[in-house]
Amino acid sequence: MSGSKCARLQGARLQQLLDSVDSILFDCDGVIWRGDQPIPGAPQVINLLKRHGKRVFFVTNNSTKTRRMYADKMSTLGFDVTEQEVFGTAFCCAAFLQTACGLRGQKVFLMGSQAMRQELEAVGIRQTGVGPDHVSGGPGDWANVPLDPEVRAVVVGFDQDFSYMKLNRALQYLIQKDCLFVGTNRDTRLPLEGGRAVPGTGCLLQAVETAAQRQAQTVGKPSPFMFDCLASQFGVERERCLMVGDRLDTDILLGSNCGLKTLLTLTGVSTLEDVEGHEKSGCEERRKMVPDFYVESIADLLPALQG
Amino acid sequence: MSGSKCARLQGARLQQLLDSVDSILFDCDGVIWRGDQPIPGAPQVINLLKRHGKRVFFVTNNSTKTRRMYADKMSTLGFDVTEQEVFGTAFCCAAFLQTACGLRGQKVFLMGSQAMRQELEAVGIRQTGVGPDHVSGGPGDWANVPLDPEVRAVVVGFDQDFSYMKLNRALQYLIQKDCLFVGTNRDTRLPLEGGRAVPGTGCLLQAVETAAQRQAQTVGKPSPFMFDCLASQFGVERERCLMVGDRLDTDILLGSNCGLKTLLTLTGVSTLEDVEGHEKSGCEERRKMVPDFYVESIADLLPALQG
């Protein structure tokens, strides 16, 4: 990476960066943990950053957990975190529907998890749709499937009960021009240990968009909503904020889109080869995915925080 | 449509066109029938064309019926048709897997209908996957779902049992680089009476492609395979062949792609406004969707065939 814009973060440069920021946003999976195991050293880094007076936030595109569930998991793994510091897409999607769409007291068709249902209910939004929806009859029946006249929006998150009938029901709502259309995120795969992966929300959203011939608004990274959500609530100054993530196309792009400093950690999805590919592309859009700095692991921040 | 390339087909021009062709390909839904009702006059047109010595074929992207099922339906509706004249994507997909992919005696993962299973079996291709596949466990279980080691291809057609687990299983097969990937067609919606519609195979295929980060080969219109399939079997001369359809993006584009004369009928999906949009676009790709001629209904062919 000689001559690269993306510099390894260590020594004086590390100390300088930490001095220049007040708030640090961390992606979760691949950054502070992998599956159910913390990245070695990550809990100490987070806890020491807070002890040094930094404000720390967690921003994740995963829509299968509530803030409460994340805070509990983090606590179990040794992170000293409150639920107010967690911004997952289940919570942020509910916040978006409430604030940007004005849907408090209204009802949505939810293709998503029980966690999403809970976060929606917490802001006074009712839902129909959670759980299995099996097909019966033929095309004529599907086109005339009963719709809930109160539904104002179709909301798509990760849904392990995704089925043809759910896709069809979403289409029947979205044929109504005034029905809003919101997705949590566009991640195409959920990466797992050993290079394995399962289909992500992006696949489900793509199917619904193709049927509806409409594009959903999405709240997850790299859309700026998640940052705006926490920034407005906590008065975060973007010039003094660092985004730390393992994915160039979501985490680093969010940081670039919002004018934050960006740090790639190599414990997850993206590699330095990916960085180089974007850097050499000569494409403005792809160059936004080049981070300012990289570390092998966020444990590399420890030397600047200890002693 | 004054000054348009697309002329209304009637009178001397109609007689001239019929004299200039030996073979006529008809799309089915929206052209010769709508749902379970024949387009008025369509059975007479088809039967008279055959009596006048024209060869008639039926090419449909619908993958939910076998050739036999189509011939039975046509016979019930008054069309004098044999199953050898019907080219649906269930049959053509099986033919593609057999001839282009060399999969006779092999096994595929089928996301599709019982009709597709039957057409596959008829050419000696076994399948796994037809029917419901419900989710259980969590991401770790999904990523390690048992795969059939004999499977050589993932085949996607219309599947009313489409589910997250099926999507996941398709992804796990397609992560294997040597696994072939074939789709019947890309129609995003199945249009029904009264402007209603349900999601088409294109939505399901898009979800699988997004997960797999690979593009499927498709056999349906506008891909030339369906024409090549019938042309090679019946020795059809493309210069003396007419394609009749109600959709510009599948039927008419197939005709243009294969060098056939093209006729749009207005009893289905596309309109003269759509034609004009393509014609005025100045885009080479879109101009391929402008038909040579149009009729209000294929019943407009009757005057040239009677008396």
Side-chain angles (χ1 to χ4, degrees), chain B residues 287-303:
Chain B
R287 290 181 62 92
K288 285 187 183 170
M289 292 190 253
V290 177
D292 298 318
F293 308 100
Y294 76 92
V295 285
E296 292 291 332
S297 153
I298 65 165
D300 294 358
L301 272 57
L302 274 180

Side-chain angles (χ1 to χ4, degrees), chain A residues 134-135 139 142-144 158 160 162-164 168 171-172 188-189 192 196-199 203-204 206-207 210-213, chain B residues 134-135 139 142-144 158 160 162-164 167-168 171-172 188-189 192 196-199 203 206-207 210-213:
Chain A
H134 299 303
V135 83
W142 309 336
N144 291 296
F158 184 80
Q160 63 177 58
F162 186 75
S163 65
Y164 181 77
N168 172 62
L171 168 58
Q172 304 311 328
T188 59
R189 289 183 181 180
L192 302 172
R196 304 201 75 92
V198 296
C203 305
L204 316 184
Q206 187 83 55
T210 303
Q213 300 167 3
Chain B
H134 299 303
V135 82
W142 308 337
N144 291 296
F158 184 79
Q160 64 178 60
F162 187 76
S163 65
Y164 182 77
L167 173 62
N168 172 61
L171 168 58
Q172 303 311 328
T188 58
R189 288 184 181 181
L192 302 171
R196 305 200 73 92
V198 296
C203 306
Q206 187 83 56
T210 302
Q213 299 167 3

